[in-house]
Amino acid sequence: MSQPTERTPERPAGRAVPTSADVARLAGVSRATVSYVLNNTSAVRISEPTRRRVREAAEELGYVPHAAARSLRAGHSRMVLLPTSHVPVGPLYSQFFNEFQWALRRLDYTVVQYGSVGLEAEEAARAWAELRPVAVVSLGEVQLTGQGVEILKRSGARAVITLGTRAVEGTHALVMDQGKVGEVATAHLVASGRRRIGVVIPEEPGLAMFSGPRLDGARRAVAGTGATVVPLPLRYEEESANELAARWRDLGLDAVFGYNDEYAMLLMRALQDAGIAVPGETAVVGADDLLLGRLLRPRLSTVRIDMVLGRELAELVDRAVREPEVPPRTRALLDSRVVRRESS
Amino acid sequence: MSQPTERTPERPAGRAVPTSADVARLAGVSRATVSYVLNNTSAVRISEPTRRRVREAAEELGYVPHAAARSLRAGHSRMVLLPTSHVPVGPLYSQFFNEFQWALRRLDYTVVQYGSVGLEAEEAARAWAELRPVAVVSLGEVQLTGQGVEILKRSGARAVITLGTRAVEGTHALVMDQGKVGEVATAHLVASGRRRIGVVIPEEPGLAMFSGPRLDGARRAVAGTGATVVPLPLRYEEESANELAARWRDLGLDAVFGYNDEYAMLLMRALQDAGIAVPGETAVVGADDLLLGRLLRPRLSTVRIDMVLGRELAELVDRAVREPEVPPRTRALLDSRVVRRESS
DNA sequence: TTGAAAGCGTTACCAA
DNA sequence: TTGGTAACGCTTTCAA
């Protein structure tokens, strides 16, 4: 860039942000022409010399269009808003999420994640609505209410998609059937002849959303089999696991579903240290099929969760935006199956 | 897009998005009054009955202010933009990140994460600049250039903060000294009498940003000691680890720094399965101090990384926004120390 | 081929 | 205490 001045102060107090009017002035044309050139408007034909002058002027000024002004004028945006929060999630979920974002970008949407920690349902919906997104994809961080959905739709959102453990009225709901995770794990344990089955409930906040349905699923699996389910609160700390292991024999359990691989690994180690044979005396099953679970001895049995592809979800969003009249539907988002290794 | 000149209704058969003008009409007042009431403008006093009428009208219509229009009018926003991408990060980083977001929110900023996967430096800077954020905090997903920083500042960003492995010109740079992680790990191994030290280099994309500096740090640690460093490419798969373990004795290594706990655990298991005693024949050190590392036998030695608090970083952002004339500085963001367990 | 002007939803200034 | 009005930056229709 040509900076003829010897000293360019970083931030001259008066330096304004260049607008299309500045570009027009420098190029010696009107603002309309600038817009035509920079947006490659095909309806209008601009001479090549003019185009070049405009482009050079824009370049020289470092002009960048103002998204807010543009979408204000246009009356709509292509922003897809994804509320985020602090729910600790595994690599599976992260990968899905990234693929989803990438696919949306390919469909020419601007993906914006909005940190929504600590917001209540309606408060959150209002905050999101201020940005006038064309679609909101809520991954369950904030429990959206029908009221909140109404606010969003009234403010122009053409699609509200919830991706959670249960359907929300008025939205395209994608249900992650967390119950099934607990169900297949527990059914597997029952089928292997286990009768008293512990189910780990993490005490860490934010996980109740997943652990509750998983426990319910476990209960469904034992219904009518004579086996029983015992909830086991557990913090993700060695001390907590050791305490639990110390009273293991009093609990009289012969199997445990560890919520996920991490909690399962923690508990399995504590059980082994307490002299309880795995899987001999107690079977252990995790979930998520982490690589690390295969490194323990015995190798950890697990529930493998197959997520819908991020690309598919992106296409669903796109369709919902283009055809908002299609009524929202609820559909399953993931499938689960047991991968039996050595710990069960 | 060539569309017929016929007017296509933007919002088919639906009521339009309510604006402050609609609220004013319903309440029987002017738009200005609506603005005063809804923003609690203290400079103007509005009678209580009027306030009530306005509030009720807004409520009835489900009015939500239009953030773009507001910031267009105001000439500035309080948006802090955080580019995100798919770099796989550990729980330590996530926790820091969430704390940071939360703290920014408390300081009344709107935190927006912008999915920037696959964007080049300048392209990305331009995309971010379109949103006219008051500050950009780049966590290193996209290698920001001086050019990119200039674009952002010209478009009104009052602070650009980079949080990466090396400083970027013109920004408040917070350097995560990844080199030190490798340095302290290797120094520890050398001090324990190890001479030929392997350093794992993950083959997964996106990690080079961290692994390169860590390897450099390891080299610094052996300089002048007579010990040597050997880079060890490794995929995060059992097969890859087993291959590496199979030719371990040919490599003649007596220690390895495993990049982080996960790779270290993977490799340690492969070494043990190949009959190589840990730490007797080969010492292993990871990094991140994951709980899972403590579950293996021997317990995994590790490098504990202390991150700066998210709250501190949020305050730095706030200060940089309020006093943009203060020259950008580079400062260290994290400190590292070895936690010796049993594997070294 | 280009330009003038309207208007998107807000808010701040100045009158009434 | 309230209302009219201009302006923020952009796109688009209409006119030249």
Side-chain angles (χ1 to χ4, degrees):
Chain A
M1 293 233 120
S2 51
Q3 298 282 16
T5 44
E6 46 200 354
R7 274 199 306 172
T8 13
E10 275 298 318
R11 171 159 292 284
R15 172 89 85 81
V17 179
T19 71
S20 72
D22 296 320
V23 176
R25 199 156 25 236
L26 183 59
V29 299
S30 74
R31 297 196 336 272
T33 307
V34 171
S35 175
Y36 292 144
V37 172
L38 264 31
N39 294 309
N40 279 317
T41 307
S42 53
V44 198
R45 302 222 321 205
I46 309 281
S47 69
E48 199 44 54
T50 304
R51 302 185 98 88
R52 242 202 21 245
R53 282 217 313 287
V54 169
R55 291 224 175 81
E56 284 171 4
E59 176 75 17
E60 182 173 338
L61 293 175
Y63 169 73
V64 176
H66 193 309
R70 174 179 287 175
S71 73
L72 183 58
R73 161 70 219 212
H76 58 88
S77 74
R78 285 186 69 78
M79 178 196 300
V80 174
L81 189 141
L82 309 179
T84 60
S85 82
H86 55 179
V87 176
V89 291
L92 188 81
Y93 196 77
S94 313
Q95 194 197 329
F96 155 77
F97 195 69
N98 286 315
E99 186 186 324
F100 175 51
Q101 285 208 42
W102 183 82
L104 276 178
R105 279 269 313 275
R106 295 253 314 178
L107 291 167
D108 198 34
Y109 291 96
T110 297
V111 179
V112 156
Q113 285 174 254
Y114 189 98
S116 307
V117 193
L119 290 179
E120 283 307 313
E122 261 194 60
E123 191 185 1
R126 214 177 304 273
W128 304 339
E130 288 196 359
L131 298 180
R132 298 288 192 271
V134 70
V136 174
V137 182
S138 168
L139 285 81
E141 295 78 3
V142 173
Q143 184 55 50
L144 210 44
T145 61
Q147 183 72 259
V149 173
E150 188 52 31
I151 290 174
L152 286 168
K153 293 203 163 168
R154 256 230 254 285
S155 72
R158 290 167 67 95
V160 178
I161 287 150
T162 50
L163 207 152
T165 56
R166 64 170 197 243
V168 176
E169 195 189 1
T171 71
H172 288 266
L174 300 183
V175 174
M176 297 193 290
D177 191 356
Q178 297 292 339
K180 185 154 186 218
V181 178
E183 191 174 340
V184 297
T186 307
H188 159 66
L189 292 169
V190 170
S192 324
R194 310 286 170 165
R195 313 300 297 161
R196 278 184 55 81
I197 298 164
V199 172
V200 169
I201 310 293
E203 292 185 0
E204 278 69 24
L207 260 39
M209 190 169 81
F210 301 116
S211 61
R214 288 186 188 189
L215 176 60
D216 293 341
R219 291 208 165 105
R220 278 200 302 277
V222 296
T225 66
T228 56
V229 156
V230 180
L232 302 171
L234 177 65
R235 287 193 314 283
Y236 191 61
E237 293 165 12
E238 284 184 284
E239 196 188 348
S240 180
N242 289 335
E243 279 170 20
L244 180 54
R247 53 196 177 83
W248 197 256
R249 294 212 162 99
D250 297 336
L251 290 164
L253 301 171
D254 59 5
V256 60
F257 168 52
Y259 173 69
N260 72 9
D261 284 352
E262 290 182 302
Y263 284 85
M265 289 163 83
L266 173 62
L267 181 55
M268 185 164 89
R269 165 56 64 193
L271 291 175
Q272 290 176 312
D273 286 352
I276 291 158
V278 176
E281 189 172 348
T282 294
V284 178
V285 175
D288 286 352
D289 196 16
L290 294 189
L291 174 53
L292 295 180
R294 277 170 258 169
L295 304 182
L296 296 189
R297 297 297 178 269
R299 291 179 173 83
L300 185 65
S301 294
T302 191
V303 176
R304 177 154 181 80
I305 301 174
D306 292 310
M307 272 267 203
V308 71
L309 292 178
R311 192 158 20 87
E312 288 178 38
L313 181 53
E315 277 157 16
L316 170 65
V317 170
D318 187 44
R319 221 171 318 131
V321 165
R322 287 190 317 212
E323 303 164 1
E325 61 279 2
V326 175
R329 256 190 60 197
T330 295
R331 48 187 113 177
L333 179 64
L334 53 79
D335 196 22
S336 314
R337 63 179 197 278
V338 170
V339 178
R340 183 174 198 171
R341 297 227 163 83
E342 302 165 355
S343 68
S344 69
Chain B
M1 255 168 260
S2 46
Q3 288 191 355
T5 46
E6 283 291 311
R7 245 203 222 165
T8 46
E10 283 292 331
R11 198 149 295 288
R15 57 264 181 266
V17 179
T19 71
S20 71
D22 297 320
V23 176
R25 198 155 27 238
L26 183 58
V29 298
S30 74
R31 303 208 306 287
T33 305
V34 171
S35 175
Y36 293 144
V37 172
L38 264 31
N39 294 307
N40 277 316
T41 309
S42 51
V44 199
R45 290 189 10 174
I46 308 281
S47 67
E48 199 45 53
T50 305
R51 301 185 100 87
R52 243 200 23 243
R53 281 217 315 285
V54 170
R55 292 225 174 81
E56 283 170 6
E59 177 73 19
E60 182 173 338
L61 293 175
Y63 169 73
V64 176
H66 193 310
R70 175 179 285 173
S71 73
L72 183 59
R73 161 69 217 203
H76 59 87
S77 74
R78 284 187 70 79
M79 179 195 301
V80 174
L81 189 141
L82 309 179
T84 59
S85 83
H86 55 180
V87 175
V89 290
L92 188 80
Y93 196 77
S94 314
Q95 192 197 331
F96 155 76
F97 195 68
N98 287 315
E99 185 186 325
F100 175 50
Q101 285 208 42
W102 182 82
L104 276 178
R105 278 266 315 275
R106 295 250 315 176
L107 290 167
D108 198 33
Y109 291 95
T110 297
V111 179
V112 156
Q113 285 173 257
Y114 189 98
S116 308
V117 194
L119 290 179
E120 283 307 312
E122 259 193 63
E123 191 184 3
R126 216 178 303 274
W128 304 339
E130 289 196 358
L131 300 180
R132 297 290 191 273
V134 70
V136 174
V137 182
S138 167
L139 284 80
E141 295 78 3
V142 173
Q143 184 55 51
L144 210 43
T145 61
Q147 183 74 256
V149 173
E150 188 52 32
I151 291 174
L152 286 169
K153 292 202 164 171
R154 259 230 256 281
S155 72
R158 291 167 66 93
V160 178
I161 287 151
T162 50
L163 207 152
T165 57
R166 64 172 198 243
V168 176
E169 195 189 0
T171 70
H172 288 264
L174 299 185
V175 175
M176 297 191 290
D177 190 356
Q178 297 290 338
K180 188 157 184 215
V181 179
E183 193 174 340
V184 298
T186 308
H188 159 66
L189 292 169
V190 171
S192 324
R194 310 285 171 165
R195 313 299 297 162
R196 279 185 55 82
I197 297 165
V199 173
V200 168
I201 311 292
E203 292 185 359
E204 277 69 24
L207 259 38
M209 189 168 82
F210 301 116
S211 62
R214 288 187 188 190
L215 175 60
D216 294 339
R219 292 208 164 105
R220 278 200 302 278
V222 296
T225 66
T228 56
V229 156
V230 180
L232 302 172
L234 177 65
R235 288 193 314 284
Y236 191 61
E237 292 165 13
E238 284 184 285
E239 195 188 352
S240 179
N242 288 336
E243 279 170 20
L244 180 54
R247 52 196 178 86
W248 198 255
R249 294 212 162 101
D250 297 336
L251 290 164
L253 301 171
D254 59 5
V256 60
F257 168 53
Y259 174 70
N260 72 10
D261 283 352
E262 290 182 303
Y263 285 86
M265 288 163 83
L266 173 63
L267 181 54
M268 185 164 89
R269 164 56 64 193
L271 290 175
Q272 290 176 314
D273 286 352
I276 291 158
V278 177
E281 189 172 349
T282 294
V284 179
V285 174
D288 287 352
D289 195 16
L290 295 189
L291 174 52
L292 295 179
R294 277 170 258 169
L295 305 182
L296 297 188
R297 297 299 177 265
R299 291 178 171 85
L300 184 65
S301 294
T302 191
V303 176
R304 175 152 183 80
I305 301 173
D306 291 310
M307 272 265 203
V308 71
L309 292 177
R311 190 155 24 86
E312 288 178 38
L313 181 53
E315 276 157 17
L316 170 65
V317 171
D318 187 44
R319 222 171 318 131
V321 165
R322 287 190 317 209
E323 304 165 0
E325 62 279 3
V326 175
R329 256 189 61 197
T330 295
R331 47 187 113 177
L333 179 63
L334 53 79
D335 196 22
S336 314
R337 63 177 197 280
V338 169
V339 178
R340 184 175 198 171
R341 297 224 164 83
E342 303 164 356
S343 68
S344 69

